[in-house]
Amino acid sequence: MSQPISQISLSRLLPQVFRGMEAAERIQQSAVWLEDAVTLERGCRLCIQAESGSGKSSLLSFIYGNRGDYDGQICFDGQDIRGLDTAAWCEIRRRHLALLPQEMRLFPELTVMQNLRLKNQLTHHKTEDEMLALLDRLGIAEKPVGQLSIGQQQRVAIIRAVCQPFDFILLDEPVSHLDRNNNLIVAEIVTEEATRNGAGIVSTSVGHGLLLDGAQTICL
């Protein structure tokens, strides 16, 4: 898939773990699960709020293609993602979809810059100076990631997530360990990168969400 992804559509989507719970209040009141048509447009600014265990991490994993244990359909510009092969997914994850997983998946034995370079060597999207400038804005020093606090690691993972071109960036509880000031800086960086790419932002939270200007908030 070499063309940009302009639209992600969800139809009758439900995690398989929720089978048999279709009549439950939290499923019936969800703005995503079992809806006939939910459309994410490139350029959107969307915050998804949900209680813990409601499936917000699963939703992003389904869209990113990490998991397929769902009922219903997910399409990129009308193409069912279940039909994509490995080569297509590699290209999508390198050029079209960026993901910040909740668990961050950093390498603690490597330094901050080594973690960023691992991603950037695949995409060639940022210069060393650009990555250093982003670290400086978030107050992160060059040291082994294992020596950083959880909040500092979260900021490194956010910078790593934008070290690629993307049509949509998927952020799973990106500021759960950040104070308001750092939340605002992260929101500013993510917005700048998304605007530069003409991309959509989809962020999840359990209440302490990314402070995006003009974002639409929906409940999962």
Side-chain angles (χ1 to χ4, degrees):
M1 180 177 288
S2 58
Q3 296 298 314
I5 299 173
S6 298
Q7 186 181 87
I8 299 172
S9 57
L10 318 175
S11 177
R12 304 298 297 172
L13 194 68
L14 187 71
Q16 290 177 357
V17 71
F18 292 162
R19 280 178 179 172
M21 301 171 59
E22 290 84 353
E25 183 178 1
R26 67 172 181 171
I27 302 298
Q28 289 294 311
Q29 293 184 351
S30 170
V32 175
W33 303 138
L34 294 179
E35 291 294 304
D36 289 332
V38 176
T39 302
L40 311 179
E41 300 282 357
R42 189 177 179 194
C44 69
R45 303 288 184 264
L46 181 64
C47 292
I48 299 175
Q49 288 191 359
E51 296 178 357
S52 180
S54 297
K56 59 189 181 304
S57 297
S58 297
L59 174 62
L60 299 191
S61 291
F62 297 157
I63 294 172
Y64 197 67
N66 280 341
R67 289 173 50 187
D69 54 322
Y70 60 87
D71 297 329
Q73 188 178 55
I74 302 173
C75 293
F76 296 162
D77 295 328
Q79 181 179 4
D80 192 326
I81 68 172
R82 291 192 189 275
L84 296 172
D85 60 19
T86 300
W89 274 117
C90 288
E91 180 66 11
I92 286 168
R93 292 167 184 160
R94 192 162 63 101
R95 295 294 175 190
H96 302 293
L97 290 182
L99 173 69
L100 171 65
Q102 187 177 341
E103 64 273 20
M104 297 183 280
R105 299 175 190 165
L106 296 169
F107 294 94
E109 71 278 11
L110 300 182
T111 69
V112 168
M113 282 301 292
Q114 285 171 335
N115 270 273
L116 298 184
R117 289 186 191 117
L118 282 176
K119 174 72 170 286
N120 202 58
Q121 285 167 0
L122 297 173
T123 64
H124 307 289
H125 189 62
K126 296 287 185 187
T127 66
E128 290 275 313
D129 286 345
E130 286 171 336
M131 289 189 289
L132 287 169
L134 289 173
L135 291 172
D136 185 62
R137 285 173 69 178
L138 284 168
I140 303 298
E142 169 62 342
K143 62 175 66 174
V145 164
Q147 296 179 11
L148 301 178
S149 70
I150 296 298
Q152 289 171 322
Q153 290 182 33
Q154 198 163 47
R155 281 173 266 171
V156 173
I158 289 162
I159 295 171
R160 183 191 58 188
V162 301
C163 286
Q164 68 168 94
F166 55 86
D167 303 319
F168 290 86
I169 185 167
L170 312 174
L171 306 164
D172 194 8
E173 295 194 46
V175 293
S176 57
H177 297 279
L178 302 187
D179 57 35
R180 179 178 174 82
N181 183 60
N182 279 304
N183 187 328
L184 289 168
I185 297 171
V186 166
E188 184 178 59
I189 289 172
V190 171
T191 299
E192 288 171 0
E193 296 293 331
T195 301
R196 188 175 296 117
N197 285 278
I201 302 170
V202 181
S203 179
T204 71
S205 79
V206 293
H208 178 55
L210 184 63
L211 296 174
L212 292 172
D213 286 338
Q216 177 189 2
T217 298
I218 66 171
C219 295
L220 186 62

